[in-house]
Amino acid sequence: MTSIVDLIVIGFLVFVLWVVTSLAIFFCSKMFLTRNRLDKRLRSIVEKRQDTPTKVHQVAFKPTITKYGSLSLVGQLVGLIRKIPFLKEDEIVLKFNQAGWMSNRALWIYSASKLFFMALAIDFSMYIMNRTTPSHFTRLMIAGGALVLGWFAINIILNRSVKKRLRIIDTGFIQAVDLIIVCVGAGMNFTKSLERVSREMGRFNKGVAHELETTRKELTILLNRKQALINLNIRVPTRTIKDFTTVISQSFQQGTPILQALTLLSKEERRRRLQTAEITAARLPSTVAIPLVLFMLPSLLLVILGPPLSHLFDVLRSQH
């Protein structure tokens, strides 16, 4: 017979599951049923070349939901979400941009994903508790672990996506630099070179193509061209991008030829990657020694010493 504690635990889990699922459905419905004209507005600004750097920067990198009235339910929920201390909108938007998930509803998607994974984890924990008969303490531990796992699931997925995308961009950016050198050497200016290279790189590395296209638009729109390079370094915080933005910024400030600066950057980057490969090759013997000792050496000893030991055991057995 089910005890009162079991009924309380099951009732609490059902209530939490109902609340989380309802909020997740509500957030997802508002997220997909509402339309945002950010891309269209930004495209029109780029075409008309309006000199509004501050407003465009805020629209591109700090999206806000202002079309909901302050008295509406959605506006109140957005205000409550933004007041949560550990949900920082700027950091969430930056993480989504670094992961390649370009959306002005990053805070909505992040919150709805947390609620969805929490509901999924609670549902799975209830399934486990129904199939088994754990103690009351074990039930509480399973429910708490499911909530924690569901809460941090989107963070784990987001961080893995960010690392993967940054690694892909860092690997393919040196080829983009070489193409920029070719375009600049052919007589194209820096902005046109970024446009052509982003179009060509779109077939091989979409991450690099997207970042170059975004930087080109910002160079076209913003009055302070250095800010566009700073934004690129913020979105892609890798060493290659940092060196690239530093070189271009110095060329803009000092008036030095971009072709010469990019050529030196390409040579230095290839030299650094060659040194990294040499260091990795030098560490290879010590790295291979561990699996060699753990897996291959026992098998080798078994093959070499197996027959003599078997023969020795047969002789000792025959004497007894």
Side-chain angles (χ1 to χ4, degrees), residues 165-173 205 207-208 211 236 241:
R165 184 171 182 268
L166 293 182
R167 183 174 63 252
I168 293 174
I169 292 177
D170 188 68
T171 303
F173 196 79
N205 196 320
V208 175
E211 295 300 334
V236 189
I241 300 297

Side-chain angles (χ1 to χ4, degrees), residues 225-226 229-230 244-254:
R225 308 186 74 184
K226 185 178 180 181
L229 299 175
I230 294 175
F244 174 78
T245 55
T246 302
V247 167
I248 300 300
S249 298
Q250 291 178 355
S251 299
F252 288 160
Q253 291 178 356
Q254 301 176 3

Side-chain angles (χ1 to χ4, degrees), residues 209-253:
H210 180 269
E211 295 300 334
L212 291 178
E213 181 64 19
T214 305
T215 304
R216 183 194 67 81
K217 292 179 180 179
E218 292 182 347
L219 288 172
T220 306
I221 297 171
L222 301 180
L223 292 178
N224 186 8
R225 308 186 74 184
K226 185 178 180 181
Q227 185 62 44
L229 299 175
I230 294 175
N231 294 340
L232 174 61
N233 195 16
I234 292 175
R235 293 193 306 269
V236 189
T238 61
R239 181 173 178 178
T240 305
I241 300 297
K242 182 178 179 180
D243 295 340
F244 174 78
T245 55
T246 302
V247 167
I248 300 300
S249 298
Q250 291 178 355
S251 299
F252 288 160
Q253 291 178 356

Side-chain angles (χ1 to χ4, degrees), residues 77-310:
L77 288 176
V78 173
L80 291 176
I81 292 175
R82 289 177 177 173
K83 291 180 181 179
I84 299 177
F86 48 83
L87 289 181
K88 298 181 180 180
E89 184 178 3
D90 295 339
E91 296 181 0
I92 294 174
V93 172
L94 179 60
K95 280 289 185 180
F96 270 67
N97 290 333
Q98 290 178 349
W101 304 343
M102 308 302 172
S103 175
N104 66 317
R105 301 186 184 92
L107 187 60
W108 285 96
I109 298 175
Y110 185 80
S111 304
S113 300
K114 278 185 175 295
L115 295 176
F116 172 75
F117 283 114
M118 288 176 64
L120 189 63
I122 292 175
D123 191 14
F124 183 70
S125 65
M126 292 181 63
Y127 173 76
I128 293 178
M129 287 187 287
N130 290 331
R131 295 293 298 270
T132 59
T133 56
S135 61
H136 302 315
F137 178 75
T138 306
R139 289 174 181 270
L140 293 176
M141 292 296 295
I142 292 175
L147 289 175
V148 173
L149 180 61
W151 181 262
F152 289 103
I154 184 61
N155 299 84
I156 297 173
I157 297 174
L158 192 59
N159 291 331
R160 288 178 62 89
S161 300
V162 169
K163 291 181 180 179
K164 180 180 179 180
R165 184 171 182 268
L166 293 182
R167 183 174 63 252
I168 293 174
I169 292 177
D170 188 68
T171 303
F173 196 79
I174 188 64
Q175 285 79 17
V177 173
D178 293 337
L179 292 177
I180 293 173
I181 292 174
V182 174
C183 293
V184 173
M188 301 174 63
N189 58 20
F190 183 68
T191 305
K192 290 294 183 180
S193 300
L194 291 181
E195 181 181 1
R196 179 60 185 272
V197 173
S198 64
R199 188 166 61 250
E200 294 295 333
M201 290 295 295
R203 298 178 293 177
F204 309 102
N205 196 320
K206 294 183 179 180
V208 175
H210 180 269
E211 295 300 334
L212 291 178
E213 181 64 19
T214 305
T215 304
R216 183 194 67 81
K217 292 179 180 179
E218 292 182 347
L219 288 172
T220 306
I221 297 171
L222 301 180
L223 292 178
N224 186 8
R225 308 186 74 184
K226 185 178 180 181
Q227 185 62 44
L229 299 175
I230 294 175
N231 294 340
L232 174 61
N233 195 16
I234 292 175
R235 293 193 306 269
V236 189
T238 61
R239 181 173 178 178
T240 305
I241 300 297
K242 182 178 179 180
D243 295 340
F244 174 78
T245 55
T246 302
V247 167
I248 300 300
S249 298
Q250 291 178 355
S251 299
F252 288 160
Q253 291 178 356
Q254 301 176 3
T256 56
I258 296 180
L259 178 61
Q260 182 179 1
L262 290 179
T263 303
L264 294 177
L265 174 64
S266 178
K267 292 181 179 179
E268 181 65 22
E269 181 64 23
R270 293 185 183 280
R271 186 182 64 83
R272 184 177 65 85
R273 294 192 178 189
L274 181 60
Q275 290 179 352
T276 304
E278 291 176 353
I279 293 174
T280 304
R283 293 176 180 175
L284 189 60
S286 59
T287 306
V288 174
I290 297 177
L292 178 64
V293 173
L294 291 178
F295 300 104
M296 296 183 65
L297 187 60
S299 303
L300 184 61
L301 293 177
L302 182 62
V303 171
I304 296 175
L305 300 179
L309 290 177
S310 179

